[in-house]
Amino acid sequence: MARLQEKYNSEIVPSLKEKFGRTNIMSLPKLQKIVVNMGVGSNLSEKKYLEEALDVLTQVTGQKPVVTKARKSIANFHLREGMNVGCMVTVRGIRMYEFLDRLISIVLPRVRDFQGVNPRSFDGHGNYNLGLTEFLVFPELNPDRYSKSQGMNITFVCRGDSDDESRELLRGFGMPFRADKDAKSTKTTAKKSKKK
């Protein structure tokens, strides 16, 4: 069993039960899968960029990625329906927890000028999206092998419909959310108005 999976069963579930006042475990939020996606962007004509992206996702997740294709033609982007535009991997189970553990404890602290991830990047259904501007923050990748650094998108798909519940779940795993500036400013204005 992965470390974070054990933490979920022993620590996070009891704390979520207490916080939300529920006894049924199935009603609590749970991380179902993590989807890692990379697009090749403007380099559609160069086949090597797609091959590099496939290699990156294979090393990062330990699974073979699927090539994603364009759904429709867009003339301004020189894009035709069926063209290869990127690749993606869906990780579940033990690999998902191991990937999340590496992401939180090793990868995110290596990001330059890191001040925490955005606490508002939820989609309204409890799923969280995280973007990385370059893949070289993963320590298992050798920068000499890749001609161009690309970004990637990581989606955390959670069971449950509430963004707040999913935020508490990810916070329990140790996701470093940055302090919300708007929340701080409303607190300070409320304090000032009380003093007056």
Side-chain angles (χ1 to χ4, degrees), residues 94-123:
I94 293 173
R95 277 193 180 149
M96 174 187 72
Y97 287 107
E98 287 173 351
F99 176 79
L100 180 62
D101 196 4
R102 280 186 295 121
L103 182 74
I104 291 171
S105 57
I106 299 171
V107 175
L108 290 178
R110 286 174 53 122
V111 174
R112 190 180 295 131
D113 300 329
F114 183 69
Q115 296 175 352
V117 295
N118 188 354
R120 295 181 173 191
S121 295
F122 287 89
D123 65 352

Side-chain angles (χ1 to χ4, degrees), residues 39-54 67 78 83-86 147-148 150:
V40 290
S42 59
N43 305 307
L44 293 172
S45 56
E46 292 284 338
K47 196 175 179 184
K48 71 173 184 176
Y49 292 118
L50 180 61
E51 289 171 0
E52 286 181 1
L54 289 166
V67 175
H78 305 289
M83 280 180 72
N84 297 335
V85 291
S147 55
K148 184 181 177 186
Q150 303 177 56

Side-chain angles (χ1 to χ4, degrees), residues 117-183:
V117 295
N118 188 354
R120 295 181 173 191
S121 295
F122 287 89
D123 65 352
H125 300 287
N127 305 317
Y128 184 72
N129 282 291
L130 171 68
L132 294 176
T133 52
E134 59 177 36
F135 57 73
L136 292 174
V137 289
F138 286 90
E140 57 264 37
L141 299 174
N142 182 4
D144 299 332
R145 288 184 59 183
Y146 306 105
S147 55
K148 184 181 177 186
S149 181
Q150 303 177 56
M152 65 171 60
N153 184 55
I154 303 168
T155 304
F156 303 90
V157 180
C158 301
R159 179 181 69 201
D161 291 331
S162 169
D163 290 349
D164 294 329
E165 290 181 5
S166 297
R167 192 178 293 111
E168 287 304 316
L169 171 70
L170 292 175
R171 198 171 271 136
F173 282 125
M175 185 68 78
F177 291 111
R178 69 170 169 255
D180 205 350
K181 291 177 183 175
D182 295 338

Side-chain angles (χ1 to χ4, degrees), residues 6-70:
E6 201 173 311
K7 184 180 181 181
Y8 174 77
N9 294 330
S10 61
E11 296 175 28
I12 298 172
V13 167
S15 69
L16 290 176
K17 272 184 177 179
E18 188 180 327
K19 181 153 194 157
F20 300 128
R22 297 178 194 162
T23 53
N24 186 359
I25 295 174
M26 298 306 287
S27 68
L28 296 173
K30 183 179 182 181
L31 191 60
Q32 291 183 314
K33 61 184 177 181
I34 296 176
V35 182
V36 187
N37 180 27
M38 282 183 76
V40 290
S42 59
N43 305 307
L44 293 172
S45 56
E46 292 284 338
K47 196 175 179 184
K48 71 173 184 176
Y49 292 118
L50 180 61
E51 289 171 0
E52 286 181 1
L54 289 166
D55 182 51
V56 165
L57 286 189
T58 304
Q59 287 193 52
V60 164
T61 61
Q63 284 183 201
K64 187 178 178 184
V66 175
V67 175
T68 54
K69 297 182 181 293

